[in-house]
Amino acid sequence: MMSEGSSFMKGMILGGIFCLVMSFFETFNSGTHSEGHEHLHHHLKPVSKDELEKLSESQMSDWTLQVRVYCLIMVTPKLLVHWATANDTWSKHCDKSVFYTSESSKALEAVDLQEQDEWARLRKAIKHAYENAGDLRWFFVARPTTFAIIENLKYLVLDKDPSQPFYIGHTEKSGELDYVEYDSGIVLSYEAMRRLIGMFKDEDRCPERGHALWKTPEEKQLATCLKYSGVFAENGEDAQGKGLFNKKSVSSLISDNMGQNPADAVEACCSDMAITFAGMSPSQMQVLMYGVYRLRPYGHDFHDSLTFLPPKDSDND
């Protein structure tokens, strides 16, 4: 006959397994019921060259001046070299770039959020950016290991209305949840930010610390809160359908493509209008900065219809 102690232990084990299963479903099914907003776009592409050619010079000038980007770069002191490199390279091309840190550093300027939890820190950074954006209407969230070409980001959202909810990047799927992968950068419109800030107040659907028994990555927690707000993940693509937000470095993408398509390794690896590359070392960032902004083949003219001028008083390249 089974002892009372043995029965109790089996009950405890079965109860624990049940809790784990329920937490699993909570993690992957959260956000499946939104507020009923219609999902109007899944794959976002930039305005076509034909459409641009129909615009007058004054119209194109107005468009380029209206698209301005606030960059939120999430850093920690242990990534100080990456932090310094991002500060010295691509972030200068943002109309406003702010570094948000878990703790202060005497070496570099940043907003010290005094928060170690990554999701709680990201929430605080988003709230700070929203409150201090001024007239900027597009937001780009990145890690210091990401390299971004902000002009290509501006081109992607050129004809998009920031008063509509946009949540753009390299999309992934987890259960029923579509989310934008964090390492390759996250783009949010002003309306998406507004809804997100409102959802932060709902601790049941968008908790700051989470209810699951294991930690959910912040990119999925962000997607869940946005989905409850009626904002859905969109994959950024060029006219040929190639992804614009890359979750690997340039060298890794080319190396991968060498094995699959050696005759066309570079051409087929990435979009000509790529916006981000992830997992970059500081030296790779410096090389890419040189290649993107400084190296020019003499005699070549790419005939771009638009010019994105650097922010006022900027020392960008």
Side-chain angles (χ1 to χ4, degrees):
M1 187 173 182
M2 188 180 294
S3 68
E4 290 185 8
S6 177
S7 298
F8 176 76
M9 286 303 297
K10 284 194 173 183
M12 288 288 288
I13 292 169
L14 288 171
I17 292 171
F18 176 77
C19 288
L20 283 170
V21 171
M22 292 303 293
S23 295
F24 177 85
F25 281 111
E26 178 187 346
T27 299
F28 290 103
N29 290 328
S30 60
T32 56
H33 299 93
S34 68
E35 295 180 344
H37 298 278
E38 187 179 359
H39 188 189
L40 298 175
H41 34 256
H42 295 274
H43 301 271
L44 259 69
K45 296 185 179 182
V47 60
S48 70
K49 291 182 179 179
D50 290 340
E51 290 176 286
L52 281 179
E53 289 173 358
K54 296 176 184 178
L55 300 175
S56 67
E57 286 189 17
S58 62
Q59 285 176 313
M60 286 193 288
S61 177
D62 288 344
W63 265 15
T64 58
L65 291 174
Q66 288 170 8
V67 182
R68 302 175 66 216
V69 180
Y70 186 124
C71 295
L72 301 78
I73 305 160
M74 308 299 294
V75 297
T76 60
K78 69 178 181 181
L79 290 173
L80 194 62
V81 179
H82 283 88
W83 176 355
T85 306
N87 184 61
D88 191 47
T89 55
W90 65 266
S91 70
K92 293 181 179 180
H93 290 252
C94 305
D95 293 281
K96 182 174 183 177
S97 61
V98 180
F99 290 79
Y100 294 93
T101 182
S102 56
E103 54 186 276
S104 62
S105 169
K106 294 180 180 179
L108 294 164
E109 184 179 349
V111 175
D112 181 6
L113 298 173
Q114 299 181 346
E115 176 62 65
Q116 296 299 318
D117 181 84
E118 292 184 349
W119 170 232
R121 186 163 71 248
L122 181 58
R123 287 170 61 117
K124 288 183 177 181
I126 288 171
K127 189 172 186 294
H128 179 276
Y130 180 77
E131 293 172 348
N132 292 275
D135 59 353
L136 276 65
R137 289 297 178 265
W138 289 99
F139 300 83
F140 175 62
V141 185
R143 298 188 191 274
T145 51
T146 304
F147 185 96
I149 303 161
I150 298 300
E151 291 80 1
N152 289 355
L153 168 54
K154 289 184 176 183
Y155 177 52
L156 174 64
V157 301
L158 186 67
D159 63 336
K160 314 297 185 291
D161 183 356
S163 65
Q164 296 297 315
F166 286 96
Y167 165 42
I168 314 165
H170 177 96
T171 58
E172 298 281 0
K173 195 171 187 68
S174 177
E176 294 297 319
L177 181 68
D178 291 316
Y179 66 95
V180 169
E181 202 269 337
Y182 192 178
D183 286 342
S184 53
I186 300 169
V187 179
L188 294 164
S189 66
Y190 186 81
E191 174 61 16
M193 291 280 279
R194 186 190 69 80
R195 294 188 187 186
L196 183 59
I197 297 298
M199 187 53 62
F200 283 165
K201 299 173 185 176
D202 189 335
E203 273 295 312
D204 290 328
R205 295 191 292 178
C206 183
E208 183 172 349
R209 300 295 170 179
H211 300 315
L213 293 184
W214 58 80
K215 187 172 176 59
T216 304
E218 59 268 38
E219 57 196 6
K220 294 181 183 178
Q221 295 191 67
L222 176 66
T224 298
C225 296
L226 284 166
K227 195 169 185 180
Y228 273 130
S229 306
V231 186
F232 301 87
E234 316 296 340
N235 198 60
E237 301 171 358
D238 66 10
Q240 288 73 45
K242 288 183 180 179
L244 298 174
F245 297 83
N246 296 287
K247 60 179 184 178
K248 292 184 177 181
S249 66
V250 183
S251 59
S252 293
L253 290 167
I254 293 175
S255 296
D256 291 347
N257 209 42
M258 282 288 289
Q260 301 167 7
N261 191 6
D264 200 16
V266 176
E267 191 75 22
C269 102
C270 326
S271 170
D272 292 345
M273 298 300 294
I275 294 170
T276 63
F277 296 96
M280 302 283 287
S281 69
S283 59
Q284 286 176 327
M285 285 192 193
Q286 294 289 1
V287 170
L288 195 54
M289 191 72 182
Y290 172 73
V292 171
Y293 290 106
R294 298 170 195 157
L295 183 63
R296 290 288 180 270
Y298 182 77
H300 283 249
D301 186 351
F302 295 99
H303 304 290
D304 290 331
S305 303
L306 303 168
T307 301
F308 293 107
L309 297 174
K312 187 178 179 181
D313 301 324
S314 169
D315 62 347
N316 73 15
D317 301 86

